[in-house]
Amino acid sequence: MKKKIGILTSGGDCPGLNAAIAAVVSHATLTYNWEVWGIPYATQGLLERKAIALNLHGLDLHGIDPLLSIGGTILGSINKGDTLAHSKEIIASYEALDLDALIAIGGDGSLTILRELAKQGDWNLVAIPKTIDNDVAFTERAIGFDTAVNTVMDALNRLTYTAASHDRVMVVEVMGRTAGHLALHSGIAGGADIILIPEIPYSIAKICQKITELRDKWGQKFALIVVAEGAKTEEGKISCYRDSRGEVRMRGIGQYITEQIPACTNNQLETRLTILGHVQRGGLPSAWDRTIAAAFGKAAIDSIALEQYDRMVAWQNGEVVSVPLPLVLSQSPFLVNPNNFLIKTARSLGIYVGEE
Ligand code: F6P
């Protein structure tokens, strides 16, 4: 029987989403001869009963498929949490679209909402993990993380030269919400001297001690501090606010750290703050993100062929596996283990990552 598959992207965008959409369309069309329909703007599109036919080579330019390499998502996305207020209408609209299954590409927040809708509406749901925060449980990688790590690393490389030229302390605030994966990976790759993440408490005195030691012992007159947006103040307070729609947004920790440094370094050091913001979600997907996007897209279609629903495709030990979605959501967001090998690696490189 020819199936009609829906696909949507939900939550914050990231590079690699289009590569996953392309893989889903290719495998569904070439292997199973199924139809794939894109739902624009996730649950918003469902609510409005909108679906766009996605065809193999539909966006080709003389045979060049741009989907593999362009960032963002051609389907559009929304990043808000009030969707369940409209669950009845969304479920009625889903039925009207007459889909056999739905592939949802999202992070843990979006997947929690979509799974609830799928449960209420009895949908055949398969999830693909994406998020630059890399905090979806049971998958070593989510689409978008690798590209974001490279983007932050590139920014740190650039900031190193200007920091060194002016003997300054550069504080760089990076995304990640409550998880420190992005800060930790990019901080190590980008040569940070200090990495502050939500999972590990730190002391301002030790940060200043590290900066002084770099200067006095090693002759390094600048310092690079990477701070995750979800890192807490020394007293354990989260820096966030509610936007006009009531959504929690992270803001302020970079400013807080920047303001602490002068006092404990006898005002001898100039400190500057860079908030990388949505630059981290932009750009072309890395080779790794394109590769896992392709593997996830294929696996999601195979999961539908096997009628394995309420599951998420996941990257574990070099291959794609299928994990029950409720299990994934019960363990997400997946945070950095303060005793993991990367924390130990950072410490062995002389990077201050808090505590101790
Ligand atoms: O979850 C991805 C993410 O980029 C977080 O790292 C960040 O806190 C948030 O989304 C920003 O959301 P928005 O794009 O809605 O401002």
Side-chain angles (χ1 to χ4, degrees):
M1 196 195 76
K2 189 167 179 133
K3 285 192 194 289
K4 191 175 168 189
I5 311 298
I7 183 166
L8 57 79
T9 48
S10 186
D13 73 322
C14 62
L17 295 174
N18 291 321
I21 295 167
V24 163
V25 175
S26 297
H27 192 41
T29 312
L30 297 173
T31 310
Y32 298 102
N33 194 28
W34 294 343
E35 288 174 19
V36 182
W37 291 77
I39 314 292
Y41 300 99
T43 46
Q44 189 61 39
L46 282 179
L47 189 62
E48 293 168 6
R49 301 186 185 191
K50 286 187 179 152
I52 309 155
L54 297 175
N55 302 311
L56 193 63
H57 303 301
L59 291 168
D60 274 7
L61 301 164
H62 302 292
I64 301 167
D65 184 354
L67 281 191
L68 190 61
S69 55
I70 55 178
T73 163
I74 55 157
L75 294 177
S77 190
I78 52 167
N79 201 7
K80 51 183 187 174
D82 59 356
T83 310
L84 288 174
H86 307 284
S87 54
K88 279 208 179 82
E89 298 97 303
I90 294 173
I91 287 163
S93 298
Y94 184 88
E95 272 162 28
L97 288 172
D98 199 25
L99 299 170
D100 293 298
L102 179 69
I103 296 176
I105 313 181
D108 69 310
S110 319
L111 294 180
T112 301
I113 293 169
L114 285 157
R115 198 215 163 228
E116 183 54 36
L117 289 167
K119 209 171 78 181
Q120 290 180 22
D122 200 19
W123 304 351
N124 294 328
L125 181 71
V126 177
I128 295 180
K130 68 86 218 168
T131 168
I132 66 162
D133 306 341
N134 208 40
D135 59 353
V136 178
F138 292 97
T139 185
E140 290 155 21
R141 282 288 185 275
I143 296 171
F145 178 64
D146 185 65
T147 310
V149 169
N150 280 290
T151 302
V152 179
M153 179 190 74
D154 180 57
L156 295 178
N157 287 164
R158 289 165 193 261
L159 288 165
T160 299
Y161 293 106
T162 172
S165 303
H166 290 273
D167 298 344
R168 279 174 175 162
V169 176
M170 287 290 179
V171 178
V172 186
E173 184 183 302
V174 306
M175 284 184 168
R177 278 200 170 257
T178 53
H181 304 285
L182 181 56
L184 181 61
H185 284 247
S186 59
I188 292 175
D193 302 296
I194 294 164
I195 303 172
L196 307 174
I197 60 173
E199 296 86 345
I200 308 182
Y202 56 84
S203 93
I204 297 291
K206 285 197 176 140
I207 293 174
C208 293
Q209 191 185 321
K210 177 75 200 171
I211 296 169
T212 310
E213 182 191 302
L214 286 172
R215 173 171 279 241
D216 297 346
K217 199 165 167 192
W218 306 107
Q220 179 185 321
K221 295 181 183 155
F222 70 95
L224 213 52
I225 304 180
V226 173
V227 54
E229 62 179 0
K232 300 169 187 83
T233 63
E234 198 177 20
E235 296 79 30
K237 264 185 64 189
I238 297 177
S239 301
C240 62
Y241 71 103
R242 279 194 187 274
D243 68 13
S244 54
R245 288 197 323 230
E247 308 280 341
V248 175
R249 303 269 164 235
M250 303 288 187
R251 185 172 63 191
I253 191 65
Q255 184 66 35
Y256 165 82
I257 296 293
T258 307
E259 285 166 6
Q260 308 306 307
I261 311 288
C264 66
T265 51
N266 294 328
N267 275 323
Q268 279 182 353
L269 292 175
E270 276 191 293
T271 307
R272 293 287 187 272
L273 169 64
T274 303
I275 301 174
L276 287 179
H278 290 78
V279 161
Q280 295 161 96
R281 295 230 301 257
L284 310 183
S286 66
W288 184 235
D289 274 333
R290 296 177 197 203
T291 307
I292 56 164
F296 283 163
K298 177 212 181 288
I301 287 295
D302 288 340
S303 185
I304 294 171
L306 294 167
E307 304 203 332
Q308 292 184 340
Y309 301 120
D310 204 17
R311 302 185 77 86
M312 185 188 81
V313 296
W315 190 267
Q316 290 178 8
N317 303 317
E319 62 178 336
V320 179
V321 296
S322 164
V323 190
L325 188 53
L327 182 64
V328 171
L329 298 176
S330 70
Q331 311 271 319
S332 300
F334 178 73
L335 304 182
V336 172
N337 175 347
N339 298 312
N340 83 10
F341 72 99
L342 271 188
I343 296 289
K344 289 179 186 153
T345 303
R347 290 199 173 116
S348 71
L349 299 175
I351 302 170
Y352 176 62
V353 284
E355 212 97 80
E356 281 197 320

